[in-house]
Amino acid sequence: MSDPLKEADFLAETREPDRNDRLIPMINVVFLLLTFFIVSGTFRAAEILDVEPPEVSAANNDFQDDAPTVLVARNGIIAIGDRRLSAEEAIALLKETVGEKPVEIRVKADRGAQVGVVLPLLKKMADAGLTRIQLITVRR
């Protein structure tokens, strides 16, 4: 009769190393990097309109993070948050949101938006008493 302990030692000595064992540390590092980027990334809500601002070489876009943003699409559609509005409705909503506080308002117009849409909107906003308005551009 054979000794089961000696058979186990024999099997352990003759077992070939698994080649996939070398991949485990790399998988761990990739998982840790993925976790790091998920946790450290910034999250923000998606905008209702796909707007690509124009490029300007000397842009200064320092504004508050909680500032309301007015989106103007290429086809002239205006949106605030997740609502599509007319210019008058947008101004009324901004006045209601801002009240008497001196809050900066961001206007993010698409680079293909017509000047005949953006400038009258800015003029109406200024006439309504909303004076701290910034037009968002992208630095080169």
Side-chain angles (χ1 to χ4, degrees):
M1 183 168 188
S2 66
D3 186 16
L5 291 177
K6 288 182 183 178
E7 285 182 23
D9 289 338
F10 174 74
L11 292 174
E13 290 174 9
T14 60
R15 180 178 170 255
E16 292 182 24
D18 189 8
R19 291 184 181 165
N20 291 331
D21 287 344
R22 291 181 280 165
L23 291 176
I24 292 174
M26 186 176 68
I27 292 171
N28 289 341
V29 169
V30 170
F31 177 73
L32 288 173
L33 285 172
L34 178 65
T35 305
F36 171 77
F37 286 115
I38 288 173
V39 170
S40 67
T42 57
F43 297 102
R44 65 181 181 114
E47 296 173 338
I48 189 171
L49 298 176
D50 185 29
V51 175
E52 184 178 341
E55 290 184 7
V56 173
S57 59
N60 184 10
N61 290 334
D62 299 326
F63 38 72
Q64 304 162 345
D65 287 337
D66 59 346
T69 303
V70 179
L71 303 173
V72 181
R74 181 178 302 254
N75 56 5
I77 297 175
I78 299 170
I80 299 176
D82 61 349
R83 297 174 53 191
R84 295 179 184 205
L85 306 164
S86 68
E88 291 76 20
E89 292 171 335
I91 291 169
L93 180 64
L94 287 171
K95 286 192 70 147
E96 178 183 318
T97 303
V98 172
E100 298 299 320
K101 299 178 287 183
V103 175
E104 293 176 350
I105 299 169
R106 296 181 242 176
V107 176
K108 185 176 179 182
D110 192 275
R111 71 175 61 194
Q114 297 295 319
V115 174
V117 175
V118 178
L119 285 181
L121 174 65
L122 294 175
K123 173 92 170 94
K124 288 178 186 178
M125 291 171 76
D127 291 345
L130 304 169
T131 57
R132 298 189 65 182
I133 303 166
Q134 289 192 346
L135 184 62
I136 295 177
T137 58
V138 177
R139 290 185 194 187
R140 278 192 230 166

